[in-house]
Amino acid sequence: MTENALSRAIADRGAAVGCMLFEFDTPRVMRLLAAAGADFALFDLEHTAWDVESLRHVYAAGRGTGVHPITRVVRAEYTHVAPALDAGAWAGRVRHLATSYDGAWELPVLGEVAAPTAVLVRPDGYVAWVGEDTAEGLSEALATWCGAAGG
């Protein structure tokens, strides 16, 4: 597992300290949290005023602070997860491409398979994760192959 602010804090102190932000919508909030000693910031896109565009500015301003951003999306579905990724949870390391393919894929060894709805391709060109209308396992695959979000 890739080390990040949370795993370091737990290893060093036995706990990680953070903040769930509801309406403190300023791009400098990550720097304020870093100055206060926070390890993470939780942004809930369902129960708060945060939206993807707000997160885009917060993530950009918070790079290099050491505060680990955690984004809770409404549902673990592509249409909710992709915009959060695009906002910058893995900015500079993951590009989101919207493509489509009609028909089956022909894969070595496996043969013909149905085209998936989402694929994470590692930097070396191998497939790291495949999703079918769900984002289950995507965060773990991103952390493994691309580093921690916001790290």
Side-chain angles (χ1 to χ4, degrees), residues 27-28 30-31 57-67 150:
R28 291 185 170 71
M30 298 291 270
R31 297 199 183 282
H57 298 292
V58 170
Y59 287 159
R63 285 193 193 101
T65 62
V67 177

Short mmCIF file of all heavy atoms in Angstrom, two decimals, residues 27-28 30-31 57-67 150:
data_model
loop_
_atom_site.label_atom_id
_atom_site.label_comp_id
_atom_site.label_asym_id
_atom_site.label_seq_id
_atom_site.Cartn_x
_atom_site.Cartn_y
_atom_site.Cartn_z
N PRO A 27 -10.72 28.16 -1.11
CA PRO A 27 -9.62 27.36 -1.63
C PRO A 27 -8.48 27.17 -0.63
O PRO A 27 -7.73 26.22 -0.71
CB PRO A 27 -9.14 28.14 -2.86
CG PRO A 27 -10.34 28.91 -3.30
CD PRO A 27 -11.06 29.27 -2.02
N ARG A 28 -8.37 28.06 0.35
CA ARG A 28 -7.27 27.98 1.31
C ARG A 28 -7.55 27.07 2.50
O ARG A 28 -6.74 26.98 3.42
CB ARG A 28 -6.89 29.38 1.77
CG ARG A 28 -6.25 30.19 0.67
CD ARG A 28 -5.76 31.52 1.18
NE ARG A 28 -4.95 32.23 0.23
CZ ARG A 28 -5.37 32.80 -0.89
NH1 ARG A 28 -6.63 32.67 -1.24
NH2 ARG A 28 -4.56 33.45 -1.68
N MET A 30 -7.41 23.91 2.90
CA MET A 30 -6.43 22.85 3.11
C MET A 30 -5.19 23.40 3.81
O MET A 30 -4.60 22.74 4.66
CB MET A 30 -6.06 22.18 1.79
CG MET A 30 -7.22 21.50 1.11
SD MET A 30 -7.80 20.05 1.98
CE MET A 30 -6.77 18.82 1.22
N ARG A 31 -4.79 24.61 3.47
CA ARG A 31 -3.63 25.23 4.13
C ARG A 31 -3.95 25.54 5.60
O ARG A 31 -3.10 25.39 6.47
CB ARG A 31 -3.19 26.47 3.38
CG ARG A 31 -2.71 26.14 1.98
CD ARG A 31 -1.87 27.20 1.35
NE ARG A 31 -1.52 26.86 0.00
CZ ARG A 31 -0.56 26.00 -0.35
NH1 ARG A 31 0.13 25.40 0.57
NH2 ARG A 31 -0.31 25.75 -1.61
N HIS A 57 -11.03 23.73 -7.04
CA HIS A 57 -10.25 24.86 -6.53
C HIS A 57 -9.55 24.50 -5.21
O HIS A 57 -8.40 24.86 -5.00
CB HIS A 57 -11.14 26.08 -6.35
CG HIS A 57 -11.75 26.55 -7.63
ND1 HIS A 57 -11.01 27.11 -8.65
CD2 HIS A 57 -13.03 26.51 -8.07
CE1 HIS A 57 -11.81 27.40 -9.66
NE2 HIS A 57 -13.04 27.05 -9.34
N VAL A 58 -10.26 23.80 -4.34
CA VAL A 58 -9.68 23.41 -3.05
C VAL A 58 -8.51 22.46 -3.25
O VAL A 58 -7.45 22.63 -2.65
CB VAL A 58 -10.76 22.77 -2.14
CG1 VAL A 58 -10.14 22.15 -0.91
CG2 VAL A 58 -11.79 23.82 -1.75
N TYR A 59 -8.68 21.45 -4.09
CA TYR A 59 -7.59 20.49 -4.34
C TYR A 59 -6.37 21.18 -4.94
O TYR A 59 -5.24 20.91 -4.56
CB TYR A 59 -8.05 19.38 -5.27
CG TYR A 59 -8.99 18.37 -4.65
CD1 TYR A 59 -9.80 17.59 -5.45
CD2 TYR A 59 -9.08 18.20 -3.27
CE1 TYR A 59 -10.66 16.64 -4.90
CE2 TYR A 59 -9.94 17.28 -2.72
CZ TYR A 59 -10.73 16.51 -3.54
OH TYR A 59 -11.58 15.59 -3.00
N ALA A 60 -6.59 22.07 -5.90
CA ALA A 60 -5.47 22.77 -6.54
C ALA A 60 -4.71 23.62 -5.52
O ALA A 60 -3.48 23.60 -5.49
CB ALA A 60 -5.97 23.63 -7.68
N ALA A 61 -5.42 24.35 -4.68
CA ALA A 61 -4.78 25.20 -3.68
C ALA A 61 -4.13 24.39 -2.56
O ALA A 61 -3.20 24.86 -1.91
CB ALA A 61 -5.80 26.17 -3.09
N GLY A 62 -4.59 23.16 -2.36
CA GLY A 62 -4.09 22.35 -1.25
C GLY A 62 -2.95 21.41 -1.58
O GLY A 62 -2.44 20.72 -0.69
N ARG A 63 -2.52 21.37 -2.83
CA ARG A 63 -1.42 20.48 -3.18
C ARG A 63 -0.17 20.83 -2.39
O ARG A 63 0.19 21.99 -2.24
CB ARG A 63 -1.13 20.56 -4.68
CG ARG A 63 -2.16 19.86 -5.49
CD ARG A 63 -1.72 19.66 -6.93
NE ARG A 63 -2.88 19.25 -7.69
CZ ARG A 63 -3.60 20.06 -8.45
NH1 ARG A 63 -3.24 21.31 -8.62
NH2 ARG A 63 -4.67 19.62 -9.08
N GLY A 64 0.48 19.82 -1.87
CA GLY A 64 1.72 20.02 -1.14
C GLY A 64 1.53 20.34 0.33
O GLY A 64 2.51 20.55 1.03
N THR A 65 0.30 20.37 0.82
CA THR A 65 0.07 20.68 2.23
C THR A 65 0.26 19.47 3.13
O THR A 65 0.45 19.62 4.33
CB THR A 65 -1.35 21.22 2.46
OG1 THR A 65 -2.29 20.21 2.11
CG2 THR A 65 -1.61 22.50 1.68
N GLY A 66 0.17 18.27 2.57
CA GLY A 66 0.25 17.06 3.38
C GLY A 66 -1.10 16.63 3.93
O GLY A 66 -1.21 15.60 4.57
N VAL A 67 -2.14 17.44 3.71
CA VAL A 67 -3.49 17.08 4.16
C VAL A 67 -4.11 16.19 3.09
O VAL A 67 -4.16 16.54 1.92
CB VAL A 67 -4.35 18.34 4.39
CG1 VAL A 67 -5.77 17.94 4.78
CG2 VAL A 67 -3.72 19.22 5.46
N GLY A 150 -4.44 13.43 -3.76
CA GLY A 150 -3.94 14.69 -3.22
C GLY A 150 -2.52 14.62 -2.74
O GLY A 150 -1.98 15.60 -2.27
#
